[in-house]
Amino acid sequence: MSGKLSWSHYSELLTVSDDLARAFYEKQSIKENWSFRELKKQIGTALFQRLALSKDKKSVLTLANKGQEIATPEDTIKDPYIFEFYEFPKNRIIRERTLERKLIDNLQKFLLELGQGFSFVARQKKITIDNEHYYIDLIFYHRILKCYVLIDLKSSKVKHKDIGQMNLYLNYYKDEENVKDDNEPIGIIIAADKNEFLVKYATGGLSNKIFVSKYQLYLPDKKLLENKVKEILND
């Protein structure tokens, strides 16, 4: 056992039955200096399984043995993002501005969900192109990747025009906001729902890095996620 974690951390780790998941949470707790409460939240929201679902068998094993390593924009993405701290009644329609405000009100928890390296920069950032104003929902800077991260929130199913709009934002940021040592910005559209084929065809051929993920306001079915990860490992 590492002396970098408390007995409370290890007591919580012992509640994780899967060896790979437990190893991941231990490594990640040390890497990111998670408090006991933060560790408990990440276990509760099945962080390991959510990260593992986008990887192949070799990458899942690496994730368990080394924790999350951020080297590319893809390494920062989750699908879905879990905003269970929102505490909103089920089956109620949520407006995008309301969701944005709630995330900012719970910024510390939102940063924990986004993951390692994110620093908050601005909300409703105004940019002007050809005398027309546009507003980017949330701006972050990623300290490890050394790039801006633009986030657009959608309370409904993502549409192809949303991806086109994000592409516009990224092109603007490359030309007008980036400085010498900045890498190209990345865009994340976090929506209530998405169609995988639409996302594939709408982002295909774009030079900018645009990712589309879903959000959930309630904890995922951990058993279902665990079974999906087992399928990857058994391939």
Side-chain angles (χ1 to χ4, degrees), residues 179-208:
V179 296
K180 181 180 177 181
D181 294 327
D182 289 336
N183 291 315
E184 291 192 358
I186 65 175
I188 307 175
I189 301 171
I190 304 179
D193 199 4
K194 66 174 182 177
N195 180 286
E196 297 290 352
F197 287 105
L198 183 143
V199 171
K200 174 184 175 181
Y201 294 130
T203 58
L206 295 179
S207 60
N208 290 317

PDB file of all heavy atoms in Angstrom, residues 179-208:
ATOM      1  N   VAL A 179      -1.783  32.053 -28.572  1.00  0.00           N
ATOM      2  CA  VAL A 179      -0.483  32.730 -28.575  1.00  0.00           C
ATOM      3  C   VAL A 179       0.585  31.697 -28.931  1.00  0.00           C
ATOM      4  O   VAL A 179       0.287  30.525 -29.181  1.00  0.00           O
ATOM      5  CB  VAL A 179      -0.187  33.387 -27.211  1.00  0.00           C
ATOM      6  CG1 VAL A 179      -1.193  34.488 -26.932  1.00  0.00           C
ATOM      7  CG2 VAL A 179      -0.211  32.364 -26.085  1.00  0.00           C
ATOM      8  N   LYS A 180       1.825  32.116 -28.946  1.00  0.00           N
ATOM      9  CA  LYS A 180       2.927  31.336 -29.515  1.00  0.00           C
ATOM     10  C   LYS A 180       2.979  29.884 -29.044  1.00  0.00           C
ATOM     11  O   LYS A 180       3.135  28.967 -29.843  1.00  0.00           O
ATOM     12  CB  LYS A 180       4.247  32.034 -29.206  1.00  0.00           C
ATOM     13  CG  LYS A 180       5.471  31.324 -29.774  1.00  0.00           C
ATOM     14  CD  LYS A 180       6.744  32.078 -29.424  1.00  0.00           C
ATOM     15  CE  LYS A 180       7.970  31.330 -29.935  1.00  0.00           C
ATOM     16  NZ  LYS A 180       9.227  32.033 -29.571  1.00  0.00           N
ATOM     17  N   ASP A 181       2.882  29.635 -27.743  1.00  0.00           N
ATOM     18  CA  ASP A 181       3.089  28.284 -27.217  1.00  0.00           C
ATOM     19  C   ASP A 181       1.808  27.454 -27.111  1.00  0.00           C
ATOM     20  O   ASP A 181       1.845  26.312 -26.644  1.00  0.00           O
ATOM     21  CB  ASP A 181       3.765  28.354 -25.843  1.00  0.00           C
ATOM     22  CG  ASP A 181       5.178  28.914 -25.927  1.00  0.00           C
ATOM     23  OD1 ASP A 181       5.837  28.670 -26.959  1.00  0.00           O
ATOM     24  OD2 ASP A 181       5.607  29.594 -24.975  1.00  0.00           O
ATOM     25  N   ASP A 182       0.687  28.012 -27.527  1.00  0.00           N
ATOM     26  CA  ASP A 182      -0.573  27.270 -27.446  1.00  0.00           C
ATOM     27  C   ASP A 182      -0.692  26.266 -28.582  1.00  0.00           C
ATOM     28  O   ASP A 182      -0.365  26.563 -29.726  1.00  0.00           O
ATOM     29  CB  ASP A 182      -1.775  28.225 -27.537  1.00  0.00           C
ATOM     30  CG  ASP A 182      -1.950  29.063 -26.299  1.00  0.00           C
ATOM     31  OD1 ASP A 182      -1.487  28.647 -25.228  1.00  0.00           O
ATOM     32  OD2 ASP A 182      -2.560  30.149 -26.412  1.00  0.00           O
ATOM     33  N   ASN A 183      -1.193  25.083 -28.240  1.00  0.00           N
ATOM     34  CA  ASN A 183      -1.563  24.120 -29.275  1.00  0.00           C
ATOM     35  C   ASN A 183      -2.969  24.447 -29.781  1.00  0.00           C
ATOM     36  O   ASN A 183      -3.680  25.274 -29.201  1.00  0.00           O
ATOM     37  CB  ASN A 183      -1.514  22.696 -28.722  1.00  0.00           C
ATOM     38  CG  ASN A 183      -0.088  22.239 -28.430  1.00  0.00           C
ATOM     39  OD1 ASN A 183       0.809  22.450 -29.239  1.00  0.00           O
ATOM     40  ND2 ASN A 183       0.123  21.643 -27.275  1.00  0.00           N
ATOM     41  N   GLU A 184      -3.369  23.792 -30.866  1.00  0.00           N
ATOM     42  CA  GLU A 184      -4.682  24.079 -31.437  1.00  0.00           C
ATOM     43  C   GLU A 184      -5.787  23.751 -30.434  1.00  0.00           C
ATOM     44  O   GLU A 184      -5.712  22.742 -29.725  1.00  0.00           O
ATOM     45  CB  GLU A 184      -4.884  23.286 -32.725  1.00  0.00           C
ATOM     46  CG  GLU A 184      -4.001  23.748 -33.869  1.00  0.00           C
ATOM     47  CD  GLU A 184      -4.403  23.152 -35.201  1.00  0.00           C
ATOM     48  OE1 GLU A 184      -5.356  22.344 -35.223  1.00  0.00           O
ATOM     49  OE2 GLU A 184      -3.776  23.497 -36.216  1.00  0.00           O
ATOM     50  N   PRO A 185      -6.820  24.591 -30.375  1.00  0.00           N
ATOM     51  CA  PRO A 185      -7.908  24.351 -29.422  1.00  0.00           C
ATOM     52  C   PRO A 185      -8.721  23.118 -29.802  1.00  0.00           C
ATOM     53  O   PRO A 185      -8.701  22.671 -30.955  1.00  0.00           O
ATOM     54  CB  PRO A 185      -8.762  25.625 -29.541  1.00  0.00           C
ATOM     55  CG  PRO A 185      -8.499  26.108 -30.931  1.00  0.00           C
ATOM     56  CD  PRO A 185      -7.059  25.769 -31.213  1.00  0.00           C
ATOM     57  N   ILE A 186      -9.426  22.575 -28.828  1.00  0.00           N
ATOM     58  CA  ILE A 186     -10.324  21.458 -29.084  1.00  0.00           C
ATOM     59  C   ILE A 186     -11.730  21.851 -28.650  1.00  0.00           C
ATOM     60  O   ILE A 186     -11.919  22.722 -27.786  1.00  0.00           O
ATOM     61  CB  ILE A 186      -9.889  20.159 -28.374  1.00  0.00           C
ATOM     62  CG1 ILE A 186      -9.954  20.307 -26.850  1.00  0.00           C
ATOM     63  CG2 ILE A 186      -8.502  19.749 -28.804  1.00  0.00           C
ATOM     64  CD1 ILE A 186      -9.653  19.023 -26.106  1.00  0.00           C
ATOM     65  N   GLY A 187     -12.732  21.232 -29.245  1.00  0.00           N
ATOM     66  CA  GLY A 187     -14.112  21.532 -28.921  1.00  0.00           C
ATOM     67  C   GLY A 187     -14.842  20.304 -28.408  1.00  0.00           C
ATOM     68  O   GLY A 187     -14.666  19.206 -28.946  1.00  0.00           O
ATOM     69  N   ILE A 188     -15.657  20.501 -27.385  1.00  0.00           N
ATOM     70  CA  ILE A 188     -16.473  19.418 -26.844  1.00  0.00           C
ATOM     71  C   ILE A 188     -17.917  19.890 -26.807  1.00  0.00           C
ATOM     72  O   ILE A 188     -18.229  20.909 -26.187  1.00  0.00           O
ATOM     73  CB  ILE A 188     -16.038  19.013 -25.424  1.00  0.00           C
ATOM     74  CG1 ILE A 188     -14.545  18.697 -25.366  1.00  0.00           C
ATOM     75  CG2 ILE A 188     -16.846  17.800 -24.948  1.00  0.00           C
ATOM     76  CD1 ILE A 188     -14.033  18.414 -23.962  1.00  0.00           C
ATOM     77  N   ILE A 189     -18.776  19.175 -27.510  1.00  0.00           N
ATOM     78  CA  ILE A 189     -20.213  19.437 -27.438  1.00  0.00           C
ATOM     79  C   ILE A 189     -20.803  18.399 -26.499  1.00  0.00           C
ATOM     80  O   ILE A 189     -20.697  17.191 -26.740  1.00  0.00           O
ATOM     81  CB  ILE A 189     -20.863  19.335 -28.822  1.00  0.00           C
ATOM     82  CG1 ILE A 189     -20.222  20.335 -29.796  1.00  0.00           C
ATOM     83  CG2 ILE A 189     -22.370  19.594 -28.722  1.00  0.00           C
ATOM     84  CD1 ILE A 189     -20.657  20.151 -31.241  1.00  0.00           C
ATOM     85  N   ILE A 190     -21.398  18.865 -25.409  1.00  0.00           N
ATOM     86  CA  ILE A 190     -21.999  17.958 -24.423  1.00  0.00           C
ATOM     87  C   ILE A 190     -23.509  18.102 -24.539  1.00  0.00           C
ATOM     88  O   ILE A 190     -24.072  19.149 -24.222  1.00  0.00           O
ATOM     89  CB  ILE A 190     -21.521  18.292 -23.003  1.00  0.00           C
ATOM     90  CG1 ILE A 190     -19.983  18.262 -22.931  1.00  0.00           C
ATOM     91  CG2 ILE A 190     -22.112  17.303 -22.000  1.00  0.00           C
ATOM     92  CD1 ILE A 190     -19.422  18.606 -21.558  1.00  0.00           C
ATOM     93  N   ALA A 191     -24.148  17.051 -25.019  1.00  0.00           N
ATOM     94  CA  ALA A 191     -25.570  17.118 -25.368  1.00  0.00           C
ATOM     95  C   ALA A 191     -26.376  16.068 -24.618  1.00  0.00           C
ATOM     96  O   ALA A 191     -25.830  15.090 -24.087  1.00  0.00           O
ATOM     97  CB  ALA A 191     -25.745  16.917 -26.875  1.00  0.00           C
ATOM     98  N   ALA A 192     -27.687  16.280 -24.589  1.00  0.00           N
ATOM     99  CA  ALA A 192     -28.572  15.316 -23.937  1.00  0.00           C
ATOM    100  C   ALA A 192     -28.616  14.000 -24.693  1.00  0.00           C
ATOM    101  O   ALA A 192     -28.834  12.941 -24.115  1.00  0.00           O
ATOM    102  CB  ALA A 192     -29.970  15.895 -23.797  1.00  0.00           C
ATOM    103  N   ASP A 193     -28.376  14.056 -26.012  1.00  0.00           N
ATOM    104  CA  ASP A 193     -28.401  12.836 -26.819  1.00  0.00           C
ATOM    105  C   ASP A 193     -27.616  13.093 -28.101  1.00  0.00           C
ATOM    106  O   ASP A 193     -27.335  14.245 -28.460  1.00  0.00           O
ATOM    107  CB  ASP A 193     -29.848  12.436 -27.149  1.00  0.00           C
ATOM    108  CG  ASP A 193     -29.962  10.968 -27.566  1.00  0.00           C
ATOM    109  OD1 ASP A 193     -28.941  10.255 -27.519  1.00  0.00           O
ATOM    110  OD2 ASP A 193     -31.071  10.556 -27.940  1.00  0.00           O
ATOM    111  N   LYS A 194     -27.251  12.021 -28.793  1.00  0.00           N
ATOM    112  CA  LYS A 194     -26.529  12.162 -30.048  1.00  0.00           C
ATOM    113  C   LYS A 194     -26.767  10.932 -30.906  1.00  0.00           C
ATOM    114  O   LYS A 194     -27.105   9.859 -30.410  1.00  0.00           O
ATOM    115  CB  LYS A 194     -25.032  12.344 -29.804  1.00  0.00           C
ATOM    116  CG  LYS A 194     -24.342  11.111 -29.201  1.00  0.00           C
ATOM    117  CD  LYS A 194     -22.833  11.296 -29.115  1.00  0.00           C
ATOM    118  CE  LYS A 194     -22.155  10.050 -28.568  1.00  0.00           C
ATOM    119  NZ  LYS A 194     -20.698  10.177 -28.548  1.00  0.00           N
ATOM    120  N   ASN A 195     -26.588  11.122 -32.213  1.00  0.00           N
ATOM    121  CA  ASN A 195     -26.632  10.017 -33.154  1.00  0.00           C
ATOM    122  C   ASN A 195     -25.208   9.769 -33.636  1.00  0.00           C
ATOM    123  O   ASN A 195     -24.573  10.668 -34.193  1.00  0.00           O
ATOM    124  CB  ASN A 195     -27.545  10.362 -34.337  1.00  0.00           C
ATOM    125  CG  ASN A 195     -27.621   9.240 -35.353  1.00  0.00           C
ATOM    126  OD1 ASN A 195     -26.683   9.010 -36.114  1.00  0.00           O
ATOM    127  ND2 ASN A 195     -28.749   8.538 -35.373  1.00  0.00           N
ATOM    128  N   GLU A 196     -24.701   8.557 -33.403  1.00  0.00           N
ATOM    129  CA  GLU A 196     -23.305   8.256 -33.705  1.00  0.00           C
ATOM    130  C   GLU A 196     -22.977   8.461 -35.184  1.00  0.00           C
ATOM    131  O   GLU A 196     -21.900   8.954 -35.533  1.00  0.00           O
ATOM    132  CB  GLU A 196     -22.969   6.820 -33.292  1.00  0.00           C
ATOM    133  CG  GLU A 196     -23.086   6.547 -31.794  1.00  0.00           C
ATOM    134  CD  GLU A 196     -22.003   7.227 -30.968  1.00  0.00           C
ATOM    135  OE1 GLU A 196     -21.058   7.786 -31.572  1.00  0.00           O
ATOM    136  OE2 GLU A 196     -22.102   7.201 -29.725  1.00  0.00           O
ATOM    137  N   PHE A 197     -23.903   8.091 -36.075  1.00  0.00           N
ATOM    138  CA  PHE A 197     -23.637   8.238 -37.499  1.00  0.00           C
ATOM    139  C   PHE A 197     -23.594   9.711 -37.906  1.00  0.00           C
ATOM    140  O   PHE A 197     -22.758  10.120 -38.706  1.00  0.00           O
ATOM    141  CB  PHE A 197     -24.687   7.476 -38.322  1.00  0.00           C
ATOM    142  CG  PHE A 197     -24.515   5.989 -38.272  1.00  0.00           C
ATOM    143  CD1 PHE A 197     -25.369   5.200 -37.520  1.00  0.00           C
ATOM    144  CD2 PHE A 197     -23.476   5.377 -38.961  1.00  0.00           C
ATOM    145  CE1 PHE A 197     -25.213   3.824 -37.466  1.00  0.00           C
ATOM    146  CE2 PHE A 197     -23.303   3.994 -38.911  1.00  0.00           C
ATOM    147  CZ  PHE A 197     -24.177   3.217 -38.159  1.00  0.00           C
ATOM    148  N   LEU A 198     -24.515  10.509 -37.357  1.00  0.00           N
ATOM    149  CA  LEU A 198     -24.495  11.936 -37.662  1.00  0.00           C
ATOM    150  C   LEU A 198     -23.172  12.559 -37.226  1.00  0.00           C
ATOM    151  O   LEU A 198     -22.565  13.338 -37.969  1.00  0.00           O
ATOM    152  CB  LEU A 198     -25.664  12.644 -36.976  1.00  0.00           C
ATOM    153  CG  LEU A 198     -25.790  14.149 -37.270  1.00  0.00           C
ATOM    154  CD1 LEU A 198     -27.244  14.565 -37.369  1.00  0.00           C
ATOM    155  CD2 LEU A 198     -25.084  14.995 -36.211  1.00  0.00           C
ATOM    156  N   VAL A 199     -22.723  12.217 -36.021  1.00  0.00           N
ATOM    157  CA  VAL A 199     -21.455  12.757 -35.510  1.00  0.00           C
ATOM    158  C   VAL A 199     -20.295  12.328 -36.398  1.00  0.00           C
ATOM    159  O   VAL A 199     -19.422  13.127 -36.742  1.00  0.00           O
ATOM    160  CB  VAL A 199     -21.226  12.303 -34.049  1.00  0.00           C
ATOM    161  CG1 VAL A 199     -19.817  12.681 -33.586  1.00  0.00           C
ATOM    162  CG2 VAL A 199     -22.273  12.913 -33.137  1.00  0.00           C
ATOM    163  N   LYS A 200     -20.309  11.061 -36.806  1.00  0.00           N
ATOM    164  CA  LYS A 200     -19.228  10.539 -37.648  1.00  0.00           C
ATOM    165  C   LYS A 200     -19.131  11.303 -38.959  1.00  0.00           C
ATOM    166  O   LYS A 200     -18.045  11.729 -39.377  1.00  0.00           O
ATOM    167  CB  LYS A 200     -19.484   9.051 -37.921  1.00  0.00           C
ATOM    168  CG  LYS A 200     -18.497   8.423 -38.899  1.00  0.00           C
ATOM    169  CD  LYS A 200     -18.875   6.968 -39.187  1.00  0.00           C
ATOM    170  CE  LYS A 200     -17.966   6.365 -40.259  1.00  0.00           C
ATOM    171  NZ  LYS A 200     -18.335   4.961 -40.568  1.00  0.00           N
ATOM    172  N   TYR A 201     -20.276  11.506 -39.616  1.00  0.00           N
ATOM    173  CA  TYR A 201     -20.258  12.143 -40.929  1.00  0.00           C
ATOM    174  C   TYR A 201     -20.074  13.660 -40.824  1.00  0.00           C
ATOM    175  O   TYR A 201     -19.481  14.276 -41.718  1.00  0.00           O
ATOM    176  CB  TYR A 201     -21.528  11.807 -41.701  1.00  0.00           C
ATOM    177  CG  TYR A 201     -21.617  10.339 -42.052  1.00  0.00           C
ATOM    178  CD1 TYR A 201     -22.757   9.593 -41.775  1.00  0.00           C
ATOM    179  CD2 TYR A 201     -20.544   9.683 -42.656  1.00  0.00           C
ATOM    180  CE1 TYR A 201     -22.837   8.246 -42.084  1.00  0.00           C
ATOM    181  CE2 TYR A 201     -20.612   8.337 -42.971  1.00  0.00           C
ATOM    182  CZ  TYR A 201     -21.757   7.619 -42.684  1.00  0.00           C
ATOM    183  OH  TYR A 201     -21.821   6.276 -42.988  1.00  0.00           O
ATOM    184  N   ALA A 202     -20.579  14.256 -39.755  1.00  0.00           N
ATOM    185  CA  ALA A 202     -20.458  15.714 -39.601  1.00  0.00           C
ATOM    186  C   ALA A 202     -19.041  16.132 -39.218  1.00  0.00           C
ATOM    187  O   ALA A 202     -18.605  17.233 -39.556  1.00  0.00           O
ATOM    188  CB  ALA A 202     -21.450  16.224 -38.557  1.00  0.00           C
ATOM    189  N   THR A 203     -18.317  15.264 -38.504  1.00  0.00           N
ATOM    190  CA  THR A 203     -16.950  15.601 -38.097  1.00  0.00           C
ATOM    191  C   THR A 203     -15.909  15.062 -39.070  1.00  0.00           C
ATOM    192  O   THR A 203     -14.747  15.471 -39.015  1.00  0.00           O
ATOM    193  CB  THR A 203     -16.638  15.052 -36.691  1.00  0.00           C
ATOM    194  OG1 THR A 203     -16.825  13.623 -36.678  1.00  0.00           O
ATOM    195  CG2 THR A 203     -17.542  15.694 -35.635  1.00  0.00           C
ATOM    196  N   GLY A 204     -16.296  14.145 -39.945  1.00  0.00           N
ATOM    197  CA  GLY A 204     -15.342  13.548 -40.881  1.00  0.00           C
ATOM    198  C   GLY A 204     -14.724  14.588 -41.803  1.00  0.00           C
ATOM    199  O   GLY A 204     -15.415  15.414 -42.378  1.00  0.00           O
ATOM    200  N   GLY A 205     -13.402  14.549 -41.908  1.00  0.00           N
ATOM    201  CA  GLY A 205     -12.697  15.467 -42.789  1.00  0.00           C
ATOM    202  C   GLY A 205     -12.359  16.810 -42.176  1.00  0.00           C
ATOM    203  O   GLY A 205     -11.630  17.598 -42.778  1.00  0.00           O
ATOM    204  N   LEU A 206     -12.873  17.106 -40.974  1.00  0.00           N
ATOM    205  CA  LEU A 206     -12.552  18.374 -40.322  1.00  0.00           C
ATOM    206  C   LEU A 206     -11.134  18.326 -39.754  1.00  0.00           C
ATOM    207  O   LEU A 206     -10.724  17.323 -39.177  1.00  0.00           O
ATOM    208  CB  LEU A 206     -13.544  18.672 -39.192  1.00  0.00           C
ATOM    209  CG  LEU A 206     -15.003  18.907 -39.583  1.00  0.00           C
ATOM    210  CD1 LEU A 206     -15.850  19.160 -38.345  1.00  0.00           C
ATOM    211  CD2 LEU A 206     -15.128  20.083 -40.548  1.00  0.00           C
ATOM    212  N   SER A 207     -10.415  19.410 -39.903  1.00  0.00           N
ATOM    213  CA  SER A 207      -9.059  19.461 -39.349  1.00  0.00           C
ATOM    214  C   SER A 207      -9.076  19.727 -37.851  1.00  0.00           C
ATOM    215  O   SER A 207      -8.149  19.348 -37.128  1.00  0.00           O
ATOM    216  CB  SER A 207      -8.235  20.555 -40.048  1.00  0.00           C
ATOM    217  OG  SER A 207      -8.837  21.826 -39.876  1.00  0.00           O
ATOM    218  N   ASN A 208     -10.135  20.357 -37.371  1.00  0.00           N
ATOM    219  CA  ASN A 208     -10.241  20.643 -35.940  1.00  0.00           C
ATOM    220  C   ASN A 208     -10.687  19.410 -35.164  1.00  0.00           C
ATOM    221  O   ASN A 208     -11.390  18.555 -35.689  1.00  0.00           O
ATOM    222  CB  ASN A 208     -11.243  21.774 -35.698  1.00  0.00           C
ATOM    223  CG  ASN A 208     -10.732  23.109 -36.190  1.00  0.00           C
ATOM    224  OD1 ASN A 208      -9.572  23.451 -35.990  1.00  0.00           O
ATOM    225  ND2 ASN A 208     -11.594  23.873 -36.850  1.00  0.00           N
TER     226      ASN A 208
END
